[in-house]
Amino acid sequence: MVNLKKRGIGENEFCPCCGRDVESIFHSIISCEVAKRVWDNWDVHFVENWQRLYDVSDVALKILEKGTTRGLEVFFGVAWSIWYNRNLIVFESTCRLLCQIWGFANRFPHEHRRAKLALFKDQVVENIRWTPSPPRVFKVNVDGATSVDGRNSSVGAIIRDSCGAVTAACCKYLQGQFSVAEVEAIAVEAGILLARDLKIP
Ligand SMILES: [Zn+2]
């Protein structure tokens, strides 16, 4: 059990949440009356047994032993949320409602996964690089743009040689709004016509 005062956190040795017991990490996250009421939201049968343990890591091991890795994820999410609420009280003289502490913790893994997915997508986009064609071969890249608000679609095409130098390029503003598939097809056509006009093999 670690006394937070020894760590230089907080002037008062009593728990800022309940004000009754000496503060420790185990007390703040597991045995404080405020924490207990948050954990009451978790519908698992072994929650009561936690109070007989002495360390947060022992609780985590117990969950891993009797529950699942998803349970462990929930545990750390809620533990972090309880601790965050404790810091709000100490440093900002405010706090969250019990249901907010629980709700925030349960949204956190989902948001964390979503953020990771977004990061992964960015990395995928970053990894897509233009590569030059083999010697004496030209490369035609095309793209199209359309909108959902009735504005006209447009297409563009660019031809580069094997060194990456631009040989020709064109863009076309279409009369009307086309679907994504139509715009892509028109863009490909524009690229082929540009290459044909320039007699590029
Ligand atoms: Zn307390």
Side-chain angles (χ1 to χ4, degrees), residues 15 18 27 32:
C15 169
C18 67
H27 171 83
C32 177

Side-chain angles (χ1 to χ4, degrees), residues 15-21 27-28 31-34:
C15 169
C17 299
C18 67
R20 289 201 307 235
D21 298 300
H27 171 83
S28 294
S31 61
C32 177
E33 284 308 312
V34 175

Side-chain angles (χ1 to χ4, degrees), residues 4 67 91 123 140 152 167 174:
L4 298 174
F91 299 112
Q123 284 170 348
V140 183
N152 289 354
T167 307
L174 306 177

